[in-house]
Coordinates of all heavy atoms in Angstrom, one line a residue:
A428 N -53.8 -8.0 -74.0 CA -52.5 -8.7 -74.4 C -51.3 -7.9 -74.0 O -50.3 -8.4 -73.5 CB -52.6 -8.8 -76.0
L429 N -51.4 -6.7 -74.3 CA -50.3 -5.8 -74.0 C -50.0 -5.8 -72.4 O -48.8 -5.9 -72.0 CB -50.5 -4.3 -74.4 CG -50.5 -4.1 -76.0 CD1 -50.8 -2.6 -76.4 CD2 -49.1 -4.4 -76.6
S430 N -51.1 -5.9 -71.7 CA -51.0 -5.7 -70.2 C -50.4 -7.0 -69.7 O -49.5 -7.1 -68.8 CB -52.3 -5.5 -69.6 OG -52.8 -4.3 -69.9
I431 N -50.9 -8.2 -70.3 CA -50.4 -9.4 -69.9 C -48.9 -9.6 -70.3 O -48.1 -10.1 -69.5 CB -51.1 -10.6 -70.6 CG1 -52.6 -10.5 -70.0 CG2 -50.5 -11.9 -70.4 CD1 -53.6 -11.5 -70.7
V432 N -48.5 -9.1 -71.5 CA -47.1 -9.3 -71.7 C -46.2 -8.4 -70.9 O -45.1 -8.8 -70.5 CB -46.9 -8.8 -73.3 CG1 -45.4 -8.6 -73.6 CG2 -47.5 -9.8 -74.2
G433 N -46.8 -7.1 -70.6 CA -46.0 -6.3 -69.7 C -45.8 -6.8 -68.3 O -44.8 -6.8 -67.7
L434 N -46.9 -7.4 -67.7 CA -46.9 -8.1 -66.4 C -46.0 -9.2 -66.4 O -45.2 -9.5 -65.4 CB -48.3 -8.4 -66.0 CG -49.3 -7.2 -65.7 CD1 -50.7 -7.8 -65.4 CD2 -48.7 -6.4 -64.5
Y435 N -46.0 -10.0 -67.4 CA -45.1 -11.2 -67.6 C -43.6 -10.8 -67.6 O -42.8 -11.5 -66.9 CB -45.5 -12.0 -68.8 CG -44.7 -13.2 -68.9 CD1 -44.9 -14.3 -68.2 CD2 -43.6 -13.3 -69.9 CE1 -44.2 -15.5 -68.4 CE2 -42.8 -14.3 -70.1 CZ -43.0 -15.4 -69.3 OH -42.2 -16.5 -69.4
M436 N -43.4 -9.8 -68.4 CA -42.0 -9.3 -68.4 C -41.6 -8.7 -67.1 O -40.4 -9.0 -66.6 CB -41.9 -8.3 -69.5 CG -42.0 -8.8 -70.9 SD -41.9 -7.7 -72.2 CE -40.2 -7.1 -72.0
R437 N -42.4 -8.0 -66.5 CA -42.1 -7.4 -65.2 C -41.9 -8.6 -64.1 O -41.0 -8.5 -63.2 CB -43.2 -6.5 -64.7 CG -43.0 -5.9 -63.4 CD -44.2 -4.9 -63.0 NE -44.1 -4.3 -61.7 CZ -43.4 -3.4 -61.3 NH1 -42.7 -2.6 -62.3 NH2 -43.4 -3.0 -60.1
H438 N -42.7 -9.6 -64.1 CA -42.7 -10.6 -63.2 C -41.3 -11.4 -63.4 O -40.6 -11.7 -62.4 CB -43.8 -11.7 -63.4 CG -43.9 -12.8 -62.5 ND1 -44.1 -12.7 -61.2 CD2 -43.4 -14.2 -62.8 CE1 -44.1 -13.9 -60.7 NE2 -43.6 -14.8 -61.6
G439 N -40.9 -11.6 -64.7 CA -39.7 -12.3 -64.9 C -38.4 -11.5 -64.5 O -37.5 -11.9 -63.9
S440 N -38.6 -10.2 -64.6 CA -37.6 -9.3 -64.2 C -37.3 -9.2 -62.7 O -36.2 -9.4 -62.2 CB -37.7 -7.9 -64.6 OG -36.8 -6.9 -64.2
C441 N -38.5 -9.3 -61.9 CA -38.5 -9.4 -60.4 C -37.9 -10.6 -60.0 O -37.1 -10.7 -59.1 CB -39.8 -9.2 -60.0 SG -40.6 -7.5 -60.2
L442 N -38.2 -11.7 -60.7 CA -37.8 -13.1 -60.3 C -36.2 -13.2 -60.6 O -35.4 -13.7 -59.7 CB -38.4 -14.3 -61.1 CG -39.9 -14.6 -60.8 CD1 -40.4 -15.6 -61.7 CD2 -40.0 -15.0 -59.4
Q443 N -35.8 -12.6 -61.7 CA -34.4 -12.5 -62.0 C -33.6 -11.6 -60.9 O -32.5 -12.0 -60.5 CB -34.2 -11.9 -63.4 CG -32.7 -12.0 -63.8 CD -32.3 -13.5 -64.2 OE1 -33.1 -14.4 -64.4 NE2 -31.0 -13.6 -64.1
E444 N -34.2 -10.5 -60.5 CA -33.5 -9.7 -59.5 C -33.5 -10.3 -58.1 O -32.4 -10.4 -57.5 CB -34.4 -8.4 -59.3 CG -33.9 -7.5 -58.2 CD -32.6 -6.9 -58.3 OE1 -32.1 -7.0 -59.6 OE2 -32.0 -6.3 -57.3
R445 N -34.6 -11.1 -57.8 CA -34.5 -11.9 -56.5 C -33.5 -13.0 -56.6 O -32.7 -13.2 -55.5 CB -36.0 -12.4 -56.1 CG -36.0 -13.0 -54.7 CD -37.4 -13.3 -54.3 NE -38.0 -14.3 -55.2 CZ -39.2 -14.9 -54.9 NH1 -39.9 -14.3 -54.0 NH2 -39.6 -15.8 -55.7
K446 N -33.4 -13.7 -57.6 CA -32.4 -14.7 -57.8 C -31.0 -14.3 -57.7 O -30.1 -14.8 -57.0 CB -32.6 -15.5 -59.1 CG -31.8 -16.6 -59.2 CD -32.0 -17.3 -60.6 CE -31.1 -18.6 -60.8 NZ -31.3 -19.2 -62.1
A447 N -30.8 -13.0 -58.4 CA -29.4 -12.5 -58.5 C -29.0 -11.9 -56.9 O -28.0 -12.1 -56.5 CB -29.3 -11.3 -59.3
V448 N -30.1 -11.3 -56.3 CA -29.8 -10.9 -54.9 C -29.5 -12.0 -54.0 O -28.6 -12.0 -53.1 CB -31.0 -10.1 -54.4 CG1 -30.9 -9.9 -52.9 CG2 -31.2 -8.7 -55.1
R449 N -30.1 -13.1 -54.0 CA -29.9 -14.3 -53.3 C -28.5 -15.0 -53.5 O -27.8 -15.2 -52.6 CB -30.9 -15.4 -53.5 CG -32.3 -15.1 -52.9 CD -33.3 -16.1 -53.2 NE -34.6 -15.8 -52.6 CZ -35.7 -16.6 -52.8 NH1 -35.7 -17.7 -53.6 NH2 -36.9 -16.3 -52.1
A450 N -28.2 -15.0 -54.8 CA -26.9 -15.5 -55.1 C -25.8 -14.6 -54.5 O -24.8 -15.0 -54.0 CB -26.7 -15.6 -56.7
A451 N -25.9 -13.3 -54.8 CA -25.0 -12.3 -54.3 C -24.8 -12.3 -52.7 O -23.8 -12.3 -52.2 CB -25.2 -10.9 -54.8
K452 N -26.0 -12.5 -52.1 CA -26.0 -12.5 -50.8 C -25.3 -13.8 -50.2 O -24.6 -13.8 -49.2 CB -27.4 -12.5 -50.1 CG -27.5 -12.3 -48.7 CD -28.9 -12.1 -48.2 CE -29.0 -12.1 -46.7 NZ -30.4 -12.0 -46.2
A453 N -25.5 -14.9 -50.8 CA -24.9 -16.1 -50.4 C -23.4 -16.0 -50.6 O -22.5 -16.4 -49.6 CB -25.4 -17.3 -51.3
R454 N -22.9 -15.4 -51.7 CA -21.5 -15.2 -51.9 C -20.9 -14.3 -50.8 O -19.9 -14.5 -50.2 CB -21.1 -14.7 -53.3 CG -21.3 -15.6 -54.3 CD -20.8 -15.2 -55.7 NE -21.3 -13.9 -56.1 CZ -22.4 -13.8 -56.8 NH1 -23.0 -14.9 -57.2 NH2 -22.9 -12.7 -57.2
L455 N -21.7 -13.2 -50.4 CA -21.3 -12.3 -49.4 C -21.2 -12.9 -48.1 O -20.3 -12.6 -47.3 CB -22.3 -11.1 -49.4 CG -22.0 -10.0 -48.5 CD1 -20.7 -9.3 -48.8 CD2 -23.2 -8.9 -48.4
I456 N -22.1 -13.8 -47.7 CA -22.1 -14.4 -46.4 C -20.9 -15.3 -46.3 O -20.3 -15.4 -45.2 CB -23.4 -15.2 -46.3 CG1 -24.7 -14.2 -46.0 CG2 -23.3 -16.1 -45.0 CD1 -26.0 -15.0 -46.0
Q457 N -20.6 -16.0 -47.4 CA -19.4 -16.8 -47.4 C -18.1 -16.0 -47.1 O -17.2 -16.4 -46.3 CB -19.2 -17.6 -48.7 CG -20.3 -18.6 -48.8 CD -20.3 -19.3 -50.2 OE1 -19.4 -19.2 -51.0 NE2 -21.3 -20.2 -50.4
L458 N -18.0 -15.0 -47.9 CA -16.9 -13.9 -47.7 C -16.9 -13.4 -46.2 O -15.8 -13.3 -45.6 CB -16.9 -12.9 -48.7 CG -15.9 -11.8 -48.6 CD1 -14.5 -12.5 -48.9 CD2 -16.1 -10.7 -49.7
Q459 N -18.0 -13.1 -45.8 CA -18.2 -12.5 -44.4 C -17.8 -13.6 -43.3 O -17.0 -13.3 -42.4 CB -19.7 -12.1 -44.1 CG -19.8 -11.2 -43.0 CD -21.3 -10.7 -42.9 OE1 -22.2 -11.3 -43.2 NE2 -21.4 -9.4 -42.4
N460 N -18.1 -14.8 -43.5 CA -17.6 -15.8 -42.7 C -16.2 -16.0 -42.6 O -15.6 -16.1 -41.6 CB -18.4 -17.2 -43.0 CG -19.8 -17.2 -42.7 OD1 -20.3 -16.4 -41.8 ND2 -20.6 -18.0 -43.4

Side-chain angles (χ1 to χ4, degrees):
L429 292 175
S430 298
I431 291 172
V432 171
L434 291 174
Y435 178 78
M436 294 180 63
R437 179 180 174 81
H438 181 75
S440 176
C441 290
L442 290 177
Q443 188 68 27
E444 172 68 10
R445 189 170 66 174
K446 182 179 179 180
V448 168
R449 287 178 176 176
K452 185 177 179 181
R454 290 192 301 271
L455 182 64
I456 291 175
Q457 294 176 2
L458 178 60
Q459 196 175 33
N460 289 335

